Every structure is written in structure tokens, then in C-alpha cells.
């Protein structure tokens, strides 16, 4: 087992981990156990117990379950797993997930890769494996898990409305190879048939394309406001300036008009699948 290091620059995650670390230490001391005795009882080394109690390491779920049983916490320690689940993900993923949770409608145009909410696990893994410099193995797993966890929003109640426009290039770029792309195209067909999802394809032979400046998202929130989101290279930016959001809103409307209809788009994906 490998417990993750705490990102000292992530204040939100650090605060959660430190609070849980204090609770674990208090429970252990109340049981009259030293760190070495406690570690032996739950199957971990004294050094790891010390690191967890100092808030320098994030305890994994099985650590908390073992501590709960040994300390007789009646589920109170195991319940902390929920608090730690979110902070295991990178901050930008947590921030985006929170923003998506506040949205009633999500719109996205992508011209480089298939949108993250639409990706299969194999596609996620293949696309992230191309990163340079590469992720360490543990960080890669963390990134993959974080992206897949965000996809729950597609089906959770209350159902939100989704609009995706994918450039044809994202269907033909062989991320991960032929079999990975075949499964990805099949997944797009399945998702595109969902009642709350409109999936459109913008063909490469269109002379007009209002999305040449790059991929972006629009999120219409419960309070009636709309925000944008743009991610490129090392920058992930939420756009709240009403004038900038208006520009993105206009562009997205034009992009949708330039793209195939949802019905035509599913037929187009089936055609590309047959060629893959």
C-alpha cells in the first residue's frame, strides 16, 4: 500500500487531512496505544502512522477501516473516507467538479480530444500517457480516477442537460490505437442516445468553423448565471467576466448551428466507426 503525499500548496486538501490526522491521534491516545503498537495492530509501520498523524500523508480507505476496527470507533473513523475521497484528486479537478455540480446545463466544444466526460477509461489512460514530462505511475492513476469520477454527473439526479460538439478530428485521431478508438466511438454512440445529452459533430469539410480558437466550456448555473471554462497547456481558467462569457455564448451557438444535428451526428459516428 502506498499512501499519497499531501500537496502542501493545496490549502483545502491540507486542512481536511490535518483535521482527520488530529482525530486519528486523539482516538489512538484515548485507546492508550503508542504509534508503534497501533501500527502493529493495524498492519502498518510506525513511520507511516507518524506521517499520517502529522498530516503529511493521506491515509487510504483500508487504513481508516483498520483503525476503526482496532480502536472500536463504531464507524466514526471509517466515515472519514468520504471526506478524504475528494481531496485525493488534484485541486483543479475538484474545482471543476464543484462547478459542474452547480450547473443545470453544460455545453462544451472540443477540437483536440474527446471531452473528458465522454471518455472511456482506456482513452483517458492513453491520452494521459502521452503527457510530457510523463506522470509518475501513482499520479497517473490519480488523474485517471479523478477524471472518471467526474463522469457520474451525466447520470446522477437531478438530470442535467448536456450539449457537446466534437470536431471530426477528435473521432479520427487514433488515441491509444485502433481498438481503443473503436470502443471510444461505441461509447459516444451510447452516450449520445441518452435523453439528457445532445452530441453533435462538426465535420472537417465545413468551410465555416467558429471554434478555430480552441476548445471551451459553458456552464449555466442554478442561480441563473453562466460561466465559461478554458483549459490549455498549463492553464485552467474559469471565466466569469460577463462580456467574455457572452462572446463564448455567441460562439457556441454558431458552432452548434454549423455542426450536424444530433441525429445526423450519430449516423456520422457510426460511419467513422465502420472505417476504424
Amino acid at each position: 500500500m502506498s499512501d499519497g503525499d499531501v500537496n502542501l500548496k493545496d490549502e483545502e486538501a491540507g486542512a481536511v487531512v490535518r483535521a482527520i490526522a488530529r482525530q486519528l491521534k486523539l482516538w489512538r491516545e484515548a485507546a492508550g496505544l503508542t504509534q508503534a503498537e497501533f501500527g502493529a495492530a493495524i498492519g502498518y509501520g510506525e513511520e507511516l502512522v507518524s506521517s499520517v498523524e502529522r498530516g503529511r500523508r493521506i491515509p487510504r480507505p483500508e487504513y481508516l477501516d483498520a483503525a476503526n476496527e482496532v480502536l472500536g470507533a463504531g464507524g466514526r473513523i471509517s466515515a472519514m473516507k468520504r471526506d478524504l475521497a475528494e481531496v485525493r484528486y488534484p485541486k483543479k479537478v475538484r474545482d471543476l467538479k464543484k462547478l459542474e455540480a452547480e450547473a443545470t446545463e453544460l455545453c462544451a466544444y472540443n477540437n483536440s480530444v474527446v471531452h473528458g466526460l465522454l471518455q472511456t477509461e482506456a482513452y483517458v489512460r492513453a491520452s494521459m500517457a502521452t503527457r510530457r514530462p510523463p506522470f509518475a505511475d501513482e499520479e497517473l492513476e490519480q488523474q485517471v480516477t479523478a477524471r472518471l469520477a467526474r463522469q457520474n454527473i451525466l447520470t446522477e439526479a437531478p438530470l442535467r442537460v448536456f450539449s457537446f460538439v466534437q470536431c471530426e478530428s477528435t473521432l479520427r485521431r487514433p488515441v491509444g490505437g485502433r481498438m481503443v478508438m473503436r470502443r471510444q466511438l461505441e461509447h459516444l454512440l451510447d452516450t449520445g442516445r441518452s435523453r439528457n445529452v445532445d452530441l453533435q459533430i462538426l465535420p472537417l469539410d465545413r468551410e465555416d468553423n467558429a471554434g478555430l480558437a480552441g476548445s471551451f466550456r459553458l456552464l449555466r448555473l442554478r442561480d441563473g448565471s453562466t460561466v465559461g471554462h478554458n483549459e490549455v497547456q498549463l492553464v485552467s481558467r474559469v471565466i466569469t467576466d460577463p462580456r467574455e462569457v457572452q462572446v463564448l455564448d455567441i460562439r457556441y451557438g454558431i458552432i452548434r448551428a454549423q455542426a450536424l444535428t444530433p441525429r445526423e451526428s450519430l449516423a456520422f459516428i457510426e460511419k467513422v466507426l465502420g472505417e476504424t
Side-chain angles (χ1 to χ4, degrees):
M1 185 201 79
S2 175
D3 290 57
D5 291 319
V6 178
N7 184 346
L8 298 179
K9 295 181 180 179
D10 189 339
E11 295 182 2
E12 180 183 359
V16 172
V17 172
R18 287 192 296 273
I20 290 176
R22 286 194 295 271
Q23 288 298 313
L24 288 170
K25 182 178 181 180
L26 288 172
W27 275 96
R28 175 183 61 76
E29 290 177 340
L33 298 174
T34 66
Q35 289 182 339
E37 292 169 339
F38 177 62
I42 64 173
Y44 297 99
E46 179 182 1
E47 183 179 351
L48 178 58
V49 172
S50 176
S51 293
V52 167
E53 291 188 357
R54 285 182 293 153
R56 302 185 67 86
R57 302 279 279 183
I58 301 176
R60 293 184 63 83
E62 52 266 33
Y63 182 105
L64 295 177
D65 285 338
N68 184 81
E69 182 176 352
V70 168
L71 298 174
R76 295 180 183 86
I77 293 178
S78 290
M80 297 177 187
K81 291 187 291 187
R82 184 175 180 179
D83 298 307
L84 286 178
E86 291 294 325
V87 298
R88 286 186 176 279
Y89 304 145
K91 186 176 187 303
K92 71 174 184 178
V93 174
R94 297 201 312 272
D95 290 345
L96 184 55
K97 191 174 181 181
K98 289 177 183 176
L99 195 58
E100 289 172 341
E102 288 298 313
T104 58
E105 181 182 6
L106 292 90
C107 307
Y109 169 68
N110 285 74
N111 63 359
S112 58
V113 294
V114 172
H115 190 277
L117 293 178
L118 303 175
Q119 295 176 0
T120 65
E121 180 176 350
Y123 188 100
V124 174
R125 195 173 297 280
S127 63
M128 289 187 172
T130 65
R131 181 185 185 271
R132 294 295 182 270
F135 288 119
D137 289 345
E138 185 174 345
E139 188 176 6
L140 175 62
E141 292 305 314
Q142 182 190 51
Q143 293 282 344
V144 171
T145 301
R147 179 164 297 180
L148 294 175
R150 282 178 48 220
Q151 296 180 358
N152 293 334
I153 196 173
L154 288 166
T155 55
E156 67 184 13
L159 284 180
R160 296 164 177 81
V161 175
F162 296 88
S163 169
F164 299 100
V165 180
Q166 292 285 152
C167 178
E168 178 187 345
S169 62
T170 66
L171 307 183
R172 298 192 179 277
R173 185 168 291 116
V175 176
R178 178 173 176 271
M179 294 311 297
V180 170
M181 280 307 302
R182 282 191 61 84
R183 181 65 194 101
Q184 178 61 63
L185 292 170
E186 291 169 350
H187 183 63
L188 287 177
L189 287 172
D190 291 341
T191 307
R193 295 186 182 110
S194 301
R195 291 184 296 110
N196 61 324
V197 175
D198 281 333
L199 175 58
Q200 295 177 254
I201 304 301
L202 182 57
L204 286 170
D205 63 6
R206 291 288 200 261
E207 292 186 11
D208 296 321
N209 182 342
L212 292 178
S215 304
F216 64 92
R217 302 180 180 97
L218 283 171
L219 299 97
R220 308 192 196 284
L221 307 181
R222 293 173 185 167
D223 62 7
S225 64
T226 300
V227 299
H229 180 262
N230 186 38
E231 188 169 6
V232 58
Q233 296 298 334
L234 303 178
V235 178
S236 179
R237 176 182 174 232
V238 174
I239 302 166
T240 57
D241 186 306
R243 291 167 298 184
E244 294 183 355
V245 172
Q246 185 180 54
V247 170
L248 293 181
D249 205 354
I250 291 171
R251 288 181 184 173
Y252 192 73
I254 296 173
I255 290 169
R256 289 198 71 180
Q258 293 168 337
L260 299 173
T261 67
R263 186 183 298 273
E264 292 169 339
S265 296
L266 291 179
F268 190 92
I269 295 172
E270 288 179 338
K271 175 178 177 292
V272 176
L273 177 59
E275 299 169 355
T276 303

